[in-house]
Amino acid sequence: MMKIPASHPRYKSLLYRHRVVDGFRKGFVADAGLIAHGRGEAFDYLIGEKSVKEAIIAQRAAVAAIHLSKNPVISVNGNTAALVPGEVVSLAEVCKAGIEVNLFYRTVKRENLIADILKKHGASEVLGIGDHMKMIQGIESERARADLKGIWSADLVLVPLEDGDRTEALRKMDKCVISIDLNPLSRTSQHATIPIVDNVVRVIPNMIEFAREMSNWGKDRLEETVYGFDKENNLETMISLMREGL
Ligand code: ATP
């Protein structure tokens, strides 16, 4: 991987960009994943590349919802595996959630490479690999695949960097969908139960911290945090902030 001097004014942004490029070179990030990352960078620029108040509110509501759920699953694609593999494994551990590989541009090679990365970072089980799969209705792409033990039976799915069709389909299956997508206008953000408009590289570490903090909260307090979340208002504020940023 290319060495970026730590003194570079855009060190962090370049570091993450190179992680995605490196993932592409190793064969587990799709070429379209590079474009998706660039689009994310542009939105991130407009919010000052930081987790703004509304994003934190959404992340806290999301963690409370995960703690209330019975069978939460974190869906992982190539970009997420390139950017925050260890953090995803830690979050799954703290939240007792499953981890499932799910790819738009699926190949068995990419699937296995991602599973290996997650296992190298400590995941004991990675779902979404093998033949115990069902196809979710209403999705044209390979993303329709869902593990019977994972997303198929989950009551809550955390979907970083998702596409709108799958978010809609998962909602139709009555699952609580938490999205992480820097674009507040995407169909994913619009359809998710709790959309988080923030960079996945900040969101997952934040969520680990909140999950630890809320681990001994009672049901009432968790429910209050979830039901207090106003999705429309949150997305509107994110759009206004981006307009101001511009
Ligand atoms: P939709 O189908 O939901 O309307 P789309 O098809 O326009 O979305 P995709 O190309 O599937 O979008 O998705 C990539 C999305 O992921 C983009 O909206 C982009 O802003 C977002 N994204 C990319 N990198 C990150 C990141 N690091 N953190 C959060 N979001 C990101």
Side-chain angles (χ1 to χ4, degrees), residues 32-33 35-41 43-44 79 83 104 143 160-165 167 180-189 196-201 203:
I35 298 168
H37 184 79
R39 183 193 281 188
E41 281 183 347
F43 283 112
D44 206 13
N79 284 41
L83 291 167
F104 192 96
R143 290 210 104 167
L161 285 45
E162 190 56 64
D163 65 277
D165 288 353
T167 306
I180 303 172
D181 185 341
L182 276 156
N183 180 2
L185 301 166
S186 74
R187 289 173 307 142
T188 298
S189 296
I196 298 171
V197 182
D198 197 359
N199 198 319
V200 71
V201 304
V203 176

Coordinates of all heavy atoms in Angstrom, one line a residue, residues 32-33 35-41 43-44 79 83 104 143 160-165 167 180-189 196-201 203, ligand 1:
A32 N -16.8 -0.8 -9.1 CA -17.8 0.2 -8.8 C -17.7 0.7 -7.4 O -18.2 1.8 -7.0 CB -19.2 -0.4 -9.1
G33 N -17.1 -0.1 -6.5 CA -16.9 0.3 -5.1 C -16.0 1.6 -5.0 O -16.1 2.4 -4.1
I35 N -15.9 4.0 -7.2 CA -16.8 5.1 -7.5 C -17.7 5.5 -6.3 O -17.8 6.7 -6.0 CB -17.6 4.8 -8.8 CG1 -16.7 4.5 -10.0 CG2 -18.6 5.9 -9.1 CD1 -17.4 3.9 -11.2
A36 N -18.3 4.5 -5.7 CA -19.2 4.7 -4.6 C -18.4 5.4 -3.5 O -18.9 6.3 -2.8 CB -19.7 3.4 -4.1
H37 N -17.1 5.1 -3.3 CA -16.3 5.7 -2.2 C -16.1 7.2 -2.5 O -16.2 8.0 -1.6 CB -15.0 5.0 -2.1 CG -14.2 5.5 -0.9 ND1 -14.4 5.2 0.4 CD2 -13.2 6.5 -0.9 CE1 -13.6 5.9 1.2 NE2 -12.8 6.6 0.4
G38 N -15.9 7.5 -3.8 CA -15.7 8.9 -4.2 C -16.9 9.7 -4.0 O -16.9 10.8 -3.5
R39 N -18.1 9.1 -4.3 CA -19.3 9.8 -4.0 C -19.5 10.1 -2.5 O -19.8 11.2 -2.1 CB -20.5 9.0 -4.5 CG -21.8 9.8 -4.3 CD -23.0 8.9 -4.5 NE -23.2 8.7 -5.9 CZ -24.3 8.1 -6.4 NH1 -25.2 7.6 -5.5 NH2 -24.5 7.9 -7.6
G40 N -19.1 9.1 -1.7 CA -19.2 9.3 -0.3 C -18.3 10.4 0.2 O -18.7 11.2 1.0
E41 N -17.1 10.4 -0.3 CA -16.1 11.5 0.1 C -16.7 12.9 -0.2 O -16.5 13.8 0.6 CB -14.8 11.4 -0.8 CG -13.9 10.3 -0.3 CD -12.6 10.3 -1.2 OE1 -12.6 10.9 -2.3 OE2 -11.6 9.6 -0.8
F43 N -19.8 13.9 -0.3 CA -20.9 14.2 0.7 C -20.2 14.5 2.1 O -20.6 15.4 2.8 CB -21.9 13.1 0.9 CG -22.9 13.0 -0.2 CD1 -22.9 12.0 -1.1 CD2 -23.9 14.0 -0.3 CE1 -23.9 11.9 -2.1 CE2 -24.8 14.0 -1.3 CZ -24.8 13.0 -2.2
D44 N -19.2 13.7 2.4 CA -18.5 13.9 3.7 C -17.8 15.3 3.8 O -17.8 15.9 4.9 CB -17.4 12.8 3.8 CG -17.1 12.5 5.3 OD1 -17.9 12.9 6.2 OD2 -16.1 11.8 5.6
N79 N -16.3 -2.6 0.4 CA -15.8 -1.4 0.9 C -15.8 -1.4 2.4 O -14.8 -0.9 3.0 CB -16.7 -0.2 0.5 CG -16.5 0.2 -1.0 OD1 -16.4 -0.7 -1.8 ND2 -16.5 1.5 -1.3
L83 N -12.5 -0.9 4.8 CA -12.3 0.3 5.6 C -12.3 0.0 7.1 O -11.5 0.6 7.9 CB -13.5 1.3 5.3 CG -13.4 2.0 4.0 CD1 -14.8 2.7 3.7 CD2 -12.3 3.0 3.9
F104 N -23.1 -6.9 -4.0 CA -23.8 -6.6 -5.2 C -23.2 -7.3 -6.4 O -23.8 -7.9 -7.2 CB -23.8 -5.0 -5.4 CG -24.7 -4.5 -6.4 CD1 -26.0 -4.1 -6.0 CD2 -24.4 -4.5 -7.8 CE1 -26.9 -3.6 -7.0 CE2 -25.3 -4.0 -8.7 CZ -26.5 -3.5 -8.3
R143 N -27.5 -9.4 -4.6 CA -27.7 -9.0 -3.2 C -29.0 -9.6 -2.6 O -29.2 -9.5 -1.4 CB -27.9 -7.5 -3.2 CG -26.6 -6.7 -3.4 CD -26.5 -5.4 -2.7 NE -25.6 -5.6 -1.6 CZ -25.1 -4.5 -0.9 NH1 -25.5 -3.3 -1.2 NH2 -24.4 -4.7 0.2
P160 N -24.3 -1.0 6.0 CA -23.5 0.1 5.6 C -23.4 0.1 4.1 O -23.3 -1.0 3.5 CB -22.1 -0.3 6.2 CG -22.3 -1.4 7.1 CD -23.5 -2.1 6.7
L161 N -23.4 1.2 3.4 CA -23.2 1.4 2.0 C -24.1 0.4 1.2 O -23.6 -0.4 0.4 CB -21.7 1.1 1.7 CG -20.7 2.1 2.0 CD1 -20.8 2.7 3.4 CD2 -19.3 1.5 1.9
E162 N -25.4 0.6 1.4 CA -26.4 -0.3 0.8 C -26.9 0.3 -0.5 O -26.7 1.4 -0.8 CB -27.5 -0.4 1.8 CG -28.5 -1.5 1.5 CD -27.9 -2.9 1.3 OE1 -27.3 -3.4 2.3 OE2 -28.0 -3.4 0.2
D163 N -27.6 -0.6 -1.3 CA -28.4 0.0 -2.4 C -29.9 0.0 -2.0 O -30.3 -0.7 -1.2 CB -28.2 -0.8 -3.7 CG -28.7 -2.2 -3.6 OD1 -27.9 -3.0 -3.1 OD2 -29.8 -2.5 -4.1
G164 N -30.6 0.9 -2.7 CA -32.0 1.2 -2.3 C -32.9 0.0 -2.4 O -33.8 -0.2 -1.6
D165 N -32.7 -0.8 -3.5 CA -33.6 -1.9 -3.7 C -33.6 -2.9 -2.5 O -34.7 -3.4 -2.1 CB -33.2 -2.7 -4.9 CG -33.5 -2.0 -6.2 OD1 -34.1 -0.9 -6.1 OD2 -33.0 -2.5 -7.3
T167 N -32.7 -2.3 0.6 CA -33.2 -1.7 1.8 C -34.8 -1.8 1.8 O -35.4 -2.2 2.7 CB -32.8 -0.2 1.8 OG1 -31.4 -0.1 1.7 CG2 -33.3 0.5 3.1
I180 N -26.1 3.0 6.8 CA -25.0 4.0 7.0 C -24.7 4.4 5.6 O -24.2 3.7 4.7 CB -23.8 3.4 7.6 CG1 -24.1 2.8 9.0 CG2 -22.7 4.4 7.7 CD1 -23.0 1.9 9.6
D181 N -25.1 5.7 5.3 CA -24.9 6.2 3.9 C -24.8 7.7 4.0 O -25.7 8.4 4.5 CB -26.2 5.8 3.1 CG -26.1 6.1 1.6 OD1 -25.2 7.0 1.2 OD2 -26.8 5.6 0.8
L182 N -23.7 8.2 3.4 CA -23.5 9.6 3.5 C -24.4 10.4 2.6 O -24.5 11.7 2.7 CB -22.0 9.9 3.1 CG -21.0 9.8 4.2 CD1 -19.6 9.5 3.7 CD2 -21.0 11.0 5.1
N183 N -25.2 9.8 1.7 CA -26.1 10.5 0.9 C -27.5 10.5 1.5 O -28.2 9.5 1.5 CB -26.1 9.8 -0.5 CG -27.1 10.5 -1.4 OD1 -27.7 11.5 -1.1 ND2 -27.2 10.0 -2.6
P184 N -27.9 11.7 2.0 CA -29.2 11.7 2.7 C -30.4 11.6 1.7 O -31.5 11.3 2.1 CB -29.3 13.1 3.4 CG -28.3 13.9 2.6 CD -27.3 13.0 2.0
L185 N -30.1 11.7 0.4 CA -31.1 11.7 -0.6 C -31.3 10.3 -1.2 O -32.2 10.1 -2.0 CB -30.8 12.7 -1.7 CG -30.7 14.1 -1.3 CD1 -30.1 15.0 -2.4 CD2 -32.1 14.7 -1.0
S186 N -30.4 9.4 -0.9 CA -30.4 8.1 -1.5 C -31.7 7.3 -1.1 O -32.3 7.6 -0.1 CB -29.2 7.2 -1.2 OG -29.3 6.8 0.2
R187 N -32.1 6.4 -2.0 CA -33.3 5.6 -1.6 C -33.0 4.8 -0.3 O -33.9 4.6 0.4 CB -33.6 4.6 -2.8 CG -34.2 5.4 -4.0 CD -34.3 4.5 -5.2 NE -33.1 3.8 -5.4 CZ -33.0 2.5 -5.8 NH1 -34.1 1.8 -6.0 NH2 -31.9 1.9 -6.0
T188 N -31.7 4.4 -0.1 CA -31.4 3.7 1.1 C -31.7 4.6 2.3 O -32.5 4.1 3.2 CB -29.9 3.4 1.1 OG1 -29.6 2.5 0.0 CG2 -29.5 2.7 2.4
S189 N -31.2 5.8 2.3 CA -31.5 6.7 3.5 C -33.0 7.0 3.6 O -33.5 7.0 4.7 CB -30.7 8.0 3.3 OG -29.3 7.8 3.3
I196 N -28.4 6.5 9.0 CA -27.3 7.2 9.6 C -26.5 7.9 8.5 O -26.0 7.2 7.6 CB -26.4 6.3 10.4 CG1 -27.1 5.6 11.6 CG2 -25.1 7.0 10.9 CD1 -26.3 4.5 12.3
V197 N -26.5 9.2 8.5 CA -25.8 9.9 7.4 C -24.5 10.4 7.9 O -24.3 11.4 8.6 CB -26.7 11.1 6.9 CG1 -26.0 11.9 5.8 CG2 -28.0 10.7 6.4
D198 N -23.5 9.5 7.8 CA -22.2 9.7 8.3 C -21.2 8.7 7.7 O -21.7 7.8 7.0 CB -22.2 9.6 9.8 CG -21.0 10.2 10.6 OD1 -20.1 10.7 9.9 OD2 -21.0 10.1 11.8
N199 N -19.9 9.0 7.8 CA -19.0 8.0 7.2 C -18.8 6.8 8.1 O -18.6 6.8 9.3 CB -17.6 8.7 7.1 CG -16.7 8.1 6.2 OD1 -16.6 6.8 6.1 ND2 -16.0 8.9 5.4
V200 N -18.9 5.6 7.4 CA -18.8 4.3 8.1 C -17.5 4.3 9.0 O -17.5 3.6 10.0 CB -18.9 3.2 7.1 CG1 -17.6 3.0 6.2 CG2 -19.2 1.9 7.8
V201 N -16.5 5.0 8.6 CA -15.2 4.9 9.4 C -15.3 5.5 10.7 O -14.6 5.2 11.7 CB -14.0 5.4 8.6 CG1 -13.8 4.8 7.3 CG2 -14.0 6.9 8.4
V203 N -18.7 6.0 12.0 CA -19.9 5.4 12.6 C -19.6 4.2 13.5 O -20.1 4.0 14.6 CB -21.0 5.1 11.5 CG1 -22.2 4.4 12.2 CG2 -21.4 6.3 10.8
Ligands
ATP1 P1 -29.5 4.2 -3.7 O1 -29.8 2.9 -4.5 O2 -29.7 3.9 -2.2 O3 -30.2 5.4 -4.1 P2 -27.1 4.5 -5.0 O4 -27.3 3.4 -6.0 O5 -27.1 5.9 -5.6 O6 -28.0 4.5 -3.8 P3 -24.6 3.2 -4.4 O7 -23.7 3.5 -5.5 O8 -25.3 1.9 -4.3 O9 -25.7 4.4 -4.4 O10 -24.1 3.4 -3.0 C1 -23.1 4.0 -2.5 C2 -23.5 4.9 -1.4 O11 -22.6 4.7 -0.3 C3 -23.4 6.3 -1.9 O12 -24.6 7.0 -1.6 C4 -22.3 6.9 -1.0 O13 -22.5 8.2 -0.6 C5 -22.2 6.0 0.2 N1 -20.9 5.9 0.7 C6 -19.7 5.6 0.1 N2 -18.7 5.6 0.9 C7 -19.2 5.7 2.1 C8 -18.6 5.8 3.4 N3 -17.3 5.6 3.6 N4 -19.5 5.9 4.5 C9 -20.8 6.1 4.3 N5 -21.4 6.1 3.1 C10 -20.6 5.9 2.0

